[in-house]
Amino acid sequence: MSTGASSPSTAHVTPAVAPASRRFWPEGWWRLIDIKIGIIPLPVYLILAALLVVLVQEGEIKPDGPTMIAVLVMGGFTCAEIGKRLPILRNIGAGAIFATFIPSALVYYKFVPPQMEKAIIDFTKFTNFLYIYIATIIVGSILGMDREVLIKGFLKIFAPLAIGSVAAGLVGTLVGTLLGIGAYKTFFFIVVPIMAGGVGEGAIPLSIGYAAILGTQQGVMFAQVLPPVMLGSLTAIVLSGTLNYVGKKKPHLTGNGKLQPDAEEFKSSDAQAKSEAAQKGIDPATIGAAGLTAITLYLLGVMCHHLTGLPAPVAMLFLAVFAKLASAVSPRLQAGGFVVYKFVQISMTYPLLFAIGVALTPWKDLMAAFTLVNLITIIATVGTLMTVGFFVGRAMNMYPIETAIVNACHSGQGGTGDVAILTAADRMALMPFAQIATRIGGALTVTGTLIVMKWIGV
């Protein structure tokens, strides 16, 4: 009796069980499900897309948590992936730009079903989850910083910010005047709105002040100052994304999220918190506690706002700094804060930008600012702000790309602009300094401008 090995009739028989690498189930399926669009496994993405089509047809798109998570995650990561795959543009923050402005255009041109648009707007405004995002990012990044570097960084960042703001005001006004816009209109209605701190805490109070001083309607003033705010933010996003690309080519110019190369014992928020997490073995309860700590600090900031008028994110920022400097938070909880920070950064950024694009970014107003003279003036203003930040930061022994990006946030669209700018720059650890540039810098700009306008009497 011959063996199977020597028999010609059995020499080419296919094995009964295919090699593991060739089987579809489960190994092939696992490979398929490990293909992701953003954070979404490809099969899940396709199932969600089909479900959302059915829900739209049935009129069941509602502003509840599960539905909106599906809509925003799908929309945000789809737009971001398109931007990230485009040649050249992917190097200048196209992911953040597409996630913010493509949904705005889709809404304007009626490609988003009305019920979905309304559900996203209601969810975004009523849940206020932008501030949940900012709270976790700020608290997580601050608690992970080295105390000495934290103090020095907060003190030193005001110099490039202040010098850059003055220079941007002068250059922007000069360029607008030379282009025929006029010094008065350029300064008050283009340059100042860019650096006013966004919409809610910038354009709105600025337009109210202008209306009171000039004796006109606030709505008319708001319509004039809003387009430069939005286009200035878009310019800052593009330039910050470009700086991120420059940093990859010239690594000596950047700390990759660190503001300054002070001491050898310095640890970035990521490095320190990762070390803590590895040593302590962070458990789910600690992660939950860290998230609740961030929310608590935000609510304390809201209380401070009611008592002192200080914007809640700024008050929360100072409270987080105080908690860090006073060692009020244990290393274990700080490490938990890092985990929350990274989860929110990776999972929520593009869905948040998508929601902002639908609910808070009117495409019509953005397009209204796209005249050549306005565009040149705005680019000159934002470019000067960032360029001065770059060189002043370098002179003060800070990483120039980081200081330029922080200065860019002074020309952003408030908290939403900070998220988009830092996402394009891949520098989310700079959020605490970005909030200083946006909130404090914006408040000082609005206050100083209204005083000047009242004083000159025009």
Side-chain angles (χ1 to χ4, degrees), residues 61-195:
I61 296 290
K62 302 185 185 303
D64 58 82
T67 305
M68 285 299 98
I69 288 173
V71 170
L72 298 182
V73 169
M74 280 278 298
F77 283 107
T78 299
C79 292
E81 282 295 312
I82 294 172
K84 288 179 179 181
R85 296 179 185 277
L86 293 177
I88 302 175
L89 291 178
R90 65 188 177 196
N91 296 321
I92 58 172
I97 295 170
F98 273 50
T100 306
F101 295 103
I102 291 299
S104 174
L106 292 176
V107 168
Y108 180 76
Y109 293 110
K110 308 299 183 184
F111 287 110
V112 176
Q115 58 170 309
M116 182 177 288
E117 176 189 352
K118 182 178 185 304
I120 293 172
I121 292 172
D122 290 345
F123 179 79
T124 303
K125 292 184 176 180
F126 295 140
T127 61
N128 217 8
F129 79 109
L130 168 64
Y131 289 106
I132 297 176
Y133 179 92
I134 291 177
T136 52
I137 292 291
I138 287 179
V139 173
S141 54
I142 285 179
L143 294 183
M145 287 183 183
D146 179 85
R147 295 174 67 199
E148 193 72 20
V149 173
L150 180 63
I151 297 172
K152 292 179 180 179
F154 270 84
L155 293 176
K156 290 173 72 174
I157 197 61
F158 283 102
L161 183 60
I163 298 171
S165 299
V166 173
L170 294 173
V171 172
T173 302
L174 177 60
V175 170
T177 303
L178 292 176
L179 291 174
I181 301 176
Y184 173 81
K185 183 176 180 181
T186 301
F187 179 75
F188 287 108
F189 291 94
I190 297 179
V191 173
V192 168
I194 290 172
M195 299 185 288

Side-chain angles (χ1 to χ4, degrees), residues 121-325:
I121 292 172
D122 290 345
F123 179 79
T124 303
K125 292 184 176 180
F126 295 140
T127 61
N128 217 8
F129 79 109
L130 168 64
Y131 289 106
I132 297 176
Y133 179 92
I134 291 177
T136 52
I137 292 291
I138 287 179
V139 173
S141 54
I142 285 179
L143 294 183
M145 287 183 183
D146 179 85
R147 295 174 67 199
E148 193 72 20
V149 173
L150 180 63
I151 297 172
K152 292 179 180 179
F154 270 84
L155 293 176
K156 290 173 72 174
I157 197 61
F158 283 102
L161 183 60
I163 298 171
S165 299
V166 173
L170 294 173
V171 172
T173 302
L174 177 60
V175 170
T177 303
L178 292 176
L179 291 174
I181 301 176
Y184 173 81
K185 183 176 180 181
T186 301
F187 179 75
F188 287 108
F189 291 94
I190 297 179
V191 173
V192 168
I194 290 172
M195 299 185 288
V199 179
E201 287 148 330
I204 291 176
L206 189 67
S207 63
I208 292 172
Y210 282 1
I213 295 171
L214 300 176
T216 186
Q217 294 182 351
Q218 185 259 336
V220 174
M221 293 292 98
F222 184 71
Q224 292 187 54
V225 301
L226 181 60
V229 172
M230 300 177 62
L231 193 52
S233 186
L234 175 58
T235 303
I237 294 168
V238 173
L239 294 180
S240 296
T242 304
L243 280 181
N244 181 43
Y245 178 71
V246 171
K248 293 176 181 177
K249 298 296 182 180
K250 299 182 180 295
H252 65 283
L253 296 176
T254 178
N256 294 310
K258 294 191 300 184
L259 192 62
Q260 53 188 344
D262 279 63
E264 291 184 4
E265 65 270 15
F266 171 80
K267 294 181 179 180
S268 69
S269 59
D270 280 12
Q272 184 173 351
K274 281 179 181 177
S275 175
E276 290 287 351
Q279 294 173 12
K280 302 290 184 179
I282 303 306
D283 58 278
T286 302
I287 297 172
L292 185 59
T293 300
I295 298 299
T296 301
L297 288 172
Y298 172 71
L299 293 177
L300 285 172
V302 173
M303 185 64 67
C304 288
H305 171 69
H306 287 299
L307 295 176
T308 66
L310 191 67
V314 176
M316 176 191 63
L317 187 153
F318 288 143
L319 289 169
V321 170
F322 176 77
K324 173 67 179 181
L325 298 181

Side-chain angles (χ1 to χ4, degrees), residues 38-55:
I39 64 169
I40 316 170
L42 181 58
V44 176
Y45 182 93
L46 297 175
I47 293 170
L48 275 178
L51 287 172
L52 291 178
V53 169
V54 173
L55 288 173

